[in-house]
Amino acid sequence: MLNELKVTQITIPLPFRLDHVHCYLAEGEKGWTIIDAGLNNKTTRDLWNPIIEKHDIADIIITHYHPDHFGYAGTLQQLTCADVWMTEVEEHAGTTYWEADSLNLLKENYIACGMEEDVAAALSSDESGFMPQVKPYPTVNHHLEEGMKLHFGKNEYEVLFTPGHSDGLISLYNKENSVLFSTDHILPKISPNISYWFKGFSNPLEEFFNSLKKIQKLDVEYVIPSHGKPFQNANKRIVELLNCWITTRTGCM
């Protein structure tokens, strides 16, 4: 399917249980376009370097601010001089979350919810070493907006806001071929992480449900996710996710 769409999948290993993220490369309107970037680490750099040497990268689309999608965007922009596109919500989140003030506020909120101070401190510190893997931050040149049209490979895609996994998460939809780049919104084997971060939407799970129902109305045939393999019949998977969350109230695999 990706070959027919004239899109190349770039799979970047991750040092987590979820051990990979798919990024995508295709021709755009004025050069080549990249969707998502990976973490800023040696593995990512070694994968991208030969690719950007062979392609004139004009645009980098970041679907949301989570480190495995956003982390290498700043360095990739510096190497290619490409324009970076994100939603305004995700730009703000990505350029503030890992700063000291934000992490201190996160610790205070954990403690206010009854968490022991040492545990709260550990969860809100950078002991995981994420800071070097999300910096330098990119300069966001354009804000993605609902309904915006982007040329990517063979087709034009509509930007759809699908919050839940993050407040400003986007998916990309081509009606003609019934194709959805679902990013982290709809995954084939697992449910995306839906968490409350003491800011943004007060009920991210409700937003996730609403976003699923929004995509359900499109009756998409081909789904291309950021984790896992492409699959068919989005509505079948959407029903599984809705039933799973509603039945267990905690989500399931």
Side-chain angles (χ1 to χ4, degrees):
M1 184 66 187
L2 287 170
N3 287 338
E4 294 176 18
L5 299 173
K6 295 187 177 179
V7 172
T8 299
Q9 177 178 285
I10 313 295
T11 300
I12 299 178
L14 298 173
F16 316 125
R17 183 178 179 185
L18 184 59
D19 62 4
H20 70 278
V21 61
H22 300 312
C23 305
Y24 296 96
L25 172 73
E27 284 195 85
E29 291 183 352
K30 56 182 180 181
W32 290 79
T33 297
I34 288 171
I35 296 178
D36 287 335
L39 293 170
N40 187 2
N41 60 23
K42 185 178 185 302
T43 298
T44 302
R45 290 193 294 273
D46 289 347
L47 278 169
W48 277 123
N49 281 345
I51 295 170
I52 63 177
E53 286 175 2
K54 298 176 181 177
H55 299 84
D56 180 16
I57 308 299
D59 295 292
I60 302 167
I61 297 169
I62 303 298
T63 62
H64 61 299
Y65 82 97
H66 293 167
D68 53 327
H69 299 257
F70 171 77
Y72 195 57
T75 300
L76 199 56
Q77 182 181 42
Q78 291 178 359
L79 292 172
T80 62
C81 297
D83 283 0
V84 170
W85 302 67
M86 291 182 77
T87 61
E88 189 171 5
V89 169
E90 296 300 286
E91 177 192 10
H92 177 73
T95 56
T96 61
Y97 182 83
W98 297 102
E99 298 302 311
D101 288 348
S102 177
L103 293 174
N104 287 335
L105 180 60
L106 186 63
K107 175 185 172 182
E108 291 172 7
N109 283 319
Y110 283 149
I111 293 171
C113 289
M115 189 177 289
E116 293 183 5
E117 187 168 351
D118 58 339
V119 177
L123 290 176
S124 57
S125 73
D126 191 45
E127 291 179 1
S128 60
F130 266 134
M131 279 191 189
Q133 298 186 82
V134 298
K135 293 183 177 181
Y137 298 137
T139 297
V140 178
N141 307 98
H142 311 279
H143 286 139
L144 296 167
E145 298 181 359
E146 175 83 12
M148 181 180 284
K149 301 295 178 62
L150 301 173
H151 187 82
F152 189 66
K154 186 178 178 181
N155 300 304
E156 185 177 68
Y157 293 84
E158 180 181 357
V159 174
L160 300 178
F161 283 9
T162 49
H165 179 62
S166 72
D167 283 0
L169 177 70
I170 66 149
S171 300
L172 297 172
Y173 171 60
N174 173 259
K175 182 177 180 180
E176 179 184 5
N177 295 288
S178 195
V179 173
L180 181 77
F181 281 86
S182 65
T183 63
D184 277 9
H185 177 49
I186 305 173
L187 303 175
K189 296 294 185 181
I190 61 173
S191 58
N193 182 296
I194 309 296
S195 299
Y196 177 63
W197 296 103
F198 306 100
K199 57 185 177 181
F201 288 119
S202 61
N203 190 340
L205 184 56
E206 180 179 40
E207 296 300 324
F208 176 59
F209 288 157
N210 290 338
S211 295
L212 286 175
K213 292 170 184 176
K214 177 179 181 177
I215 299 300
Q216 191 174 32
K217 293 177 182 177
L218 302 177
D219 194 19
V220 173
E221 179 61 26
Y222 300 101
V223 183
I224 302 170
S226 293
H227 306 279
K229 296 180 181 179
F231 60 98
Q232 291 181 257
N233 195 343
N235 282 4
K236 179 177 182 292
R237 182 61 180 144
I238 288 169
V239 169
E240 291 173 353
L241 287 166
L242 289 170
N243 288 341
C244 175
W245 280 90
I246 291 170
T247 299
T248 66
R249 296 179 180 272
T250 58
C252 63
M253 299 296 187

